Amino acid sequence: MGACLTCILLMNSVCWAKFERASLGDCKVAALSWVFRKASIPWDWLLRVSVVLILKRYGITEGVLAFDESDRARSKSTKRIYKVYKQKHKGSGGYVNGQTIVLLLLVTSSITVPVGFFFYMPDPALKQWDKEDKRLKKSGIAKKDRPIKPERDSAYPTKTEIALGLLKDLNSSHKYITQ
């Protein structure tokens, strides 16, 4: 864990391949990945405690909350990354697999701190229905003859629902911050 934290600080990145090169082969990519996937590290609590320490250290008690959502293009062929889905690539006009991360940021006069995050993924059933509905609409089929819109699956919250959940978590874990 210490070696990974050192590499993160030195390289300003979380990349197992860079860590392996920096350790001159002592830490293998597969071993590092396995440790962090199988470790029972409560990542959400680690983030909360880190934020509390930073805020206390700098004496920050108020700020403005801001949401940011950003798409991170990964690869055309990856399927094993958490919440990865097919996205439109703005640079090339094609498609890539990527992730969308919704961030809750606390913006203060001195620093900006991420205080929460969640991975967004569109509902595959709704996405498939939308694609089919557009195809049927283009072919001239009346709305009454097209399939009805399916109910949203709660396992795939909207970005607004994610934002509200992040606000709720912030209020329960950082009660002393004035927003």
Side-chain angles (χ1 to χ4, degrees), residues 7 10 12 20 22 31 63 86 98 106 119 124 131 137 161 175:
C7 287
L10 289 175
N12 197 24
E20 181 179 15
K86 188 174 178 180
L106 178 66
F119 288 96
K131 185 177 177 182
K137 190 185 293 186
E161 293 169 342
K175 293 181 190 288

Side-chain angles (χ1 to χ4, degrees), residues 130-163:
D130 190 44
K131 185 177 177 182
E132 181 66 14
D133 191 56
K134 285 179 183 175
R135 187 187 68 78
L136 292 172
K137 190 185 293 186
K138 189 175 182 181
S139 65
I141 297 180
K143 183 172 181 159
K144 63 179 177 133
D145 297 329
R146 296 192 305 253
I148 61 170
K149 187 174 183 176
E151 291 291 320
R152 176 171 288 282
D153 186 354
S154 62
Y156 300 98
T158 63
K159 292 176 185 175
T160 305
E161 293 169 342
I162 290 170

Side-chain angles (χ1 to χ4, degrees), residues 34 54 56 76 84 111 128-129 137 146 150 156 161 165:
W34 183 87
I54 290 170
K56 283 185 179 179
K76 279 192 164 192
V84 69
I111 61 172
Q128 184 63 34
W129 173 84
K137 190 185 293 186
R146 296 192 305 253
Y156 300 98
E161 293 169 342

Side-chain angles (χ1 to χ4, degrees), residues 11 21 45 51 57 88 93 96 99-100 108 131 143:
M11 294 175 214
R21 287 192 297 272
W45 284 101
V51 169
R57 166 100 186 213
K88 181 87 169 159
V96 295
Q99 294 171 307
T100 300
T108 69
K131 185 177 177 182
K143 183 172 181 159

Side-chain angles (χ1 to χ4, degrees), residues 3-125:
C4 287
L5 290 174
T6 303
C7 287
I8 291 169
L9 291 172
L10 289 175
M11 294 175 214
N12 197 24
S13 172
V14 179
C15 176
W16 303 136
K18 287 182 181 179
F19 293 1
E20 181 179 15
R21 287 192 297 272
S23 70
L24 302 175
D26 284 345
C27 299
K28 300 291 183 193
V29 171
L32 289 167
S33 179
W34 183 87
V35 164
F36 282 93
R37 278 186 286 117
K38 300 297 181 185
S40 59
I41 298 171
W43 294 106
D44 55 336
W45 284 101
L46 187 61
L47 175 65
R48 287 180 187 168
V49 170
S50 301
V51 169
V52 167
L53 289 174
I54 290 170
L55 297 178
K56 283 185 179 179
R57 166 100 186 213
Y58 290 99
I60 297 170
T61 57
E62 61 182 23
V64 176
L65 293 174
F67 286 100
D68 181 36
E69 55 101 359
S70 58
D71 295 334
R72 298 286 182 214
R74 299 301 182 196
S75 169
K76 279 192 164 192
S77 61
T78 188
K79 293 190 184 346
R80 298 186 329 179
I81 296 176
Y82 182 70
K83 297 266 185 158
V84 69
Y85 66 98
K86 188 174 178 180
Q87 297 176 339
K88 181 87 169 159
H89 189 254
K90 295 169 185 104
S92 67
Y95 290 92
V96 295
N97 284 333
Q99 294 171 307
T100 300
I101 302 169
V102 179
L103 287 168
L104 175 60
L105 303 167
L106 178 66
V107 182
T108 69
S109 58
S110 55
I111 61 172
T112 299
V113 183
V115 291
F117 73 95
F118 197 88
F119 288 96
Y120 165 79
M121 184 174 185
D123 187 342

